[in-house]
Amino acid sequence: MKTRITLIIAALFMAANFGFAQQDEECMLNLSMMNDYVKSKKFDEAYEPWMKVRNKCPKFNAAIYQYGEKILVHKIKKSSGAEKVAFIEDYMILLEKGREHYESRYSLGEVLEKQGIMMYDNKKELGKSDMDLYNIFDRGYKEDLENFKSTKGLYVYFTKTVDIFKAGNFELQKVFDKYDDVNEQLENLNGKYAKSLNELIKKEEGGVILAKKQARYKKYYQDKLVANEKIAGSLDTYIGDLANCENLIPLFKKDFPTYNNDATWLKRAVSRMYNKECTDDPLYIELVKAYDKTAPSADTKYFVSTILRKQGKNKEADGYIKQSYELQTNPFKKARLAKKIANDFKKRGSYGSARTYYREALKLNPSDGTPHLQIAAMYAKSANNCGNSNFNKRAVFWYAAQEALKAGKVDPNLKGAANQAANSYRANAPSKAEIFTEGNGGTTITIGCWIGGSVKVPSL
């Protein structure tokens, strides 16, 4: 028995670099029992040995806290009333003790966001107010932003800001500030996830088969990017009409004299007015000029280009676009900028220029397959203008389908959308009967106009 216990503890130590503060046989026995029960998902059975080792040897092993979280979460889900509240309160204490004894494993930001989410999920039982929830997440944001990574936590943090404003306890500016804070954190996190994901994708493209741990990380990064993008969209929905031009313009007019040299305030004001399409107001031009004067950057050059575009000065605007792109050095942000520039060109019908920037985005962030879908859509819209016969024009839809499918190959989360788009394009391509009539099955058609390239006609 002693040998078995020693082996289990050793295995825990080797697998997770756990440490011991004291060698206690009873604690080793209870830790072993807890370990077996938790791994078998028998959380109720694990509770008693866990409590014993936790109370007698709180510094014995980090598994006391990591497995303890799972045990208490199970207890909370299965209980109600006063018993449930007691388990929740114990969960809060457990996290604090985990940080006390294993600080390297329990960062302040992680502890606060876990406590905040537990409070949010059980707000009614705990009698917590929106301000209580806001305060715990606000502390995590202010004191340990680096480790405030929870997608749900960031969402709750912002939505509680809106709710408190609606209750009359926050100024509208506070809502806009927090919206920007949360979006910037999501963007920073996405930049890190994308960088790590692209490194793994590069290995795969080089013929390396990912180890199980690397494959798990790859999925984790992909899932986090999708979750964060969804939350970013949810923030826009939640802020709703609060962020319309009718509210933004008078607010920014009032504050502009105070913040006309504040680069952060100017950046946020310009971005908000641009994203909410308030660019026709003269204030937008004033804000952009002040921003570019105060802190010239890739962002300011881009926004100057939007003003010039509005004035019909497209050549000059394109020059600023080029400056903007060249000034940006962060690969993830540069990829997002490339997509933004490409979207602008696409809206104007400049498909060739749009594709150039979409392809730049793909080079910088190959794990993002959305540019492939955008390029495919442009191919499909150009079909009627690219070909010297009805058959050849519709053959462009095969080419569009090929491009759409690439999105699903680089990003599994886009596989459904990619397949749907490809099927839609194929439905507009020549039928088998038309291929038979034309007699060109298996031949290659050269596509003209801005698209270029070629596509092979399916063989019958």
Side-chain angles (χ1 to χ4, degrees):
M1 185 65 175
K2 284 185 179 180
T3 303
R4 178 175 175 276
I5 293 169
T6 302
L7 286 173
I8 289 174
I9 299 300
L12 283 170
F13 182 86
M14 292 294 289
N17 197 26
F18 295 139
F20 303 106
Q22 53 186 352
Q23 294 294 332
D24 185 292
E25 187 172 324
E26 183 183 349
C27 288
M28 290 177 71
L29 175 61
N30 284 312
L31 185 69
S32 172
M33 292 172 64
M34 176 200 74
N35 175 68
D36 286 346
Y37 284 134
V38 170
K39 288 193 171 180
S40 301
K41 299 190 182 303
K42 295 179 179 179
F43 299 111
D44 290 321
E45 291 85 346
Y47 185 76
E48 184 178 347
W50 169 66
M51 285 295 286
K52 287 180 178 179
V53 68
R54 172 193 181 188
N55 290 329
K56 185 172 184 180
C57 312
K59 299 180 182 180
F60 192 64
N61 195 291
I64 294 169
Y65 303 96
Q66 293 173 326
Y67 285 3
E69 286 184 59
K70 295 181 180 181
I71 293 168
L72 284 178
V73 166
H74 169 80
K75 288 290 190 181
I76 291 165
K77 287 180 180 178
K78 298 293 183 181
S79 60
S80 60
E83 184 183 36
K84 183 172 187 175
V85 171
F87 282 131
I88 293 172
E89 290 174 347
D90 198 23
Y91 175 84
M92 303 296 193
I93 293 171
L94 180 75
L95 292 172
E96 291 172 1
K97 290 295 182 181
R99 176 163 171 74
E100 178 184 332
H101 299 307
Y102 293 92
E103 188 175 349
S104 63
R105 295 177 180 276
Y106 283 86
S107 66
L108 178 62
E110 181 185 7
V111 167
L112 290 171
E113 68 187 15
K114 283 183 176 181
Q115 289 179 326
I117 289 170
M118 182 60 73
M119 286 169 56
Y120 173 75
D121 289 341
N122 301 278
K123 178 183 174 183
K124 185 177 179 181
E125 291 89 341
L126 297 174
K128 297 297 182 182
S129 67
D130 287 340
M131 189 64 79
D132 291 327
L133 294 167
Y134 173 84
N135 285 335
I136 193 166
F137 287 117
D138 192 50
R139 186 184 165 203
Y141 179 87
K142 289 176 178 176
E143 296 183 29
D144 192 13
L145 179 59
E146 183 181 355
N147 292 300
F148 190 171
K149 302 176 182 179
S150 167
T151 304
K152 184 175 180 178
L154 287 164
Y155 176 75
V156 175
Y157 183 33
F158 173 70
T159 57
K160 291 303 108 183
T161 309
V162 176
D163 293 342
I164 294 169
F165 160 76
K166 289 180 177 179
N169 296 316
F170 276 164
E171 296 293 326
L172 183 57
Q173 184 62 54
K174 182 97 169 180
V175 174
F176 294 149
D177 288 343
K178 202 49 56 187
Y179 175 90
D180 291 325
D181 289 341
V182 171
N183 270 300
E184 284 173 11
Q185 176 66 349
L186 287 170
E187 185 172 321
N188 289 335
L189 290 171
N190 285 346
K192 293 175 183 177
Y193 297 142
K195 180 181 178 182
S196 298
L197 177 59
N198 288 331
E199 288 173 357
L200 293 173
I201 288 175
K202 189 175 180 180
K203 284 185 178 182
E204 286 185 310
E205 289 175 345
V208 176
I209 298 175
L210 298 181
K212 286 184 178 180
K213 186 176 181 181
Q214 291 175 315
R216 285 197 300 271
Y217 271 118
K218 179 185 176 185
K219 186 177 186 308
Y220 169 77
Y221 297 138
Q222 289 171 331
D223 290 345
K224 288 297 288 185
L225 285 166
V226 171
N228 285 353
E229 286 297 330
K230 286 181 178 178
I231 287 298
S234 297
L235 299 186
D236 286 327
T237 301
Y238 207 86
I239 199 170
D241 291 337
L242 294 179
N244 58 28
C245 298
E246 288 74 17
N247 283 331
L248 292 174
I249 293 169
L251 180 65
F252 293 152
K253 275 184 179 177
K254 176 175 71 72
D255 292 340
F256 183 41
T258 304
Y259 298 103
N260 58 15
N261 290 313
D262 187 321
T264 300
W265 185 90
L266 289 166
K267 175 185 178 181
R268 291 180 169 187
V270 170
S271 297
R272 181 64 40 72
M273 289 191 72
Y274 173 79
N275 290 327
K276 292 300 177 179
E277 299 183 354
C278 308
T279 54
D280 289 332
D281 193 278
L283 176 65
Y284 177 73
I285 297 176
E286 289 186 66
L287 290 170
V288 169
K289 288 180 177 178
Y291 183 26
D292 189 46
K293 181 181 177 182
T294 303
S297 66
D299 286 336
T300 67
K301 302 306 176 187
Y302 174 81
F303 288 121
V304 169
S305 77
T306 66
I307 292 175
L308 293 170
R309 196 82 67 198
K310 283 272 185 183
Q311 297 172 343
K313 301 175 181 178
N314 288 330
K315 187 174 181 181
E316 196 175 347
D318 287 344
Y320 272 91
I321 282 288
K322 187 176 180 182
Q323 287 183 55
S324 172
Y325 191 69
E326 289 173 349
L327 283 169
Q328 183 56 261
T329 56
N330 180 292
F332 181 72
K333 290 183 178 180
K334 192 164 189 170
R336 290 177 72 92
L337 177 60
K339 283 174 62 175
K340 187 185 289 187
I341 294 170
N343 290 338
D344 288 344
F345 276 120
K346 183 186 173 189
K347 286 178 184 177
R348 291 163 50 207
S350 300
Y351 289 167
S353 297
R355 181 175 61 181
T356 297
Y357 280 101
Y358 280 132
R359 285 178 172 173
E360 284 296 309
L362 288 166
K363 289 177 187 176
L364 292 160
N365 187 17
S367 62
D368 178 9
T370 56
H372 286 301
L373 294 176
Q374 297 287 1
I375 293 170
M378 292 191 298
Y379 288 162
K381 284 191 175 182
S382 301
N384 198 46
N385 301 315
C386 299
N388 53 13
S389 68
N390 181 58
F391 187 97
N392 286 2
K393 288 177 180 179
R394 290 170 57 208
V396 173
F397 287 107
W398 283 319
Y399 200 61
Q402 290 175 6
E403 185 69 30
L405 289 174
K406 292 177 184 178
K409 290 179 181 178
V410 300
D411 185 352
N413 293 299
L414 290 175
K415 187 162 284 187
N419 289 335
Q420 185 177 3
N423 289 335
S424 174
Y425 298 143
R426 290 195 196 100
N428 289 303
S431 65
K432 288 184 178 180
E434 289 171 308
I435 296 172
F436 178 78
T437 301
E438 198 76 15
N440 61 353
T443 63
T444 298
I445 294 176
T446 299
I447 298 172
C449 71
W450 71 272
I451 296 178
S454 60
V455 65
K456 190 174 182 180
V457 180
S459 300
L460 293 176

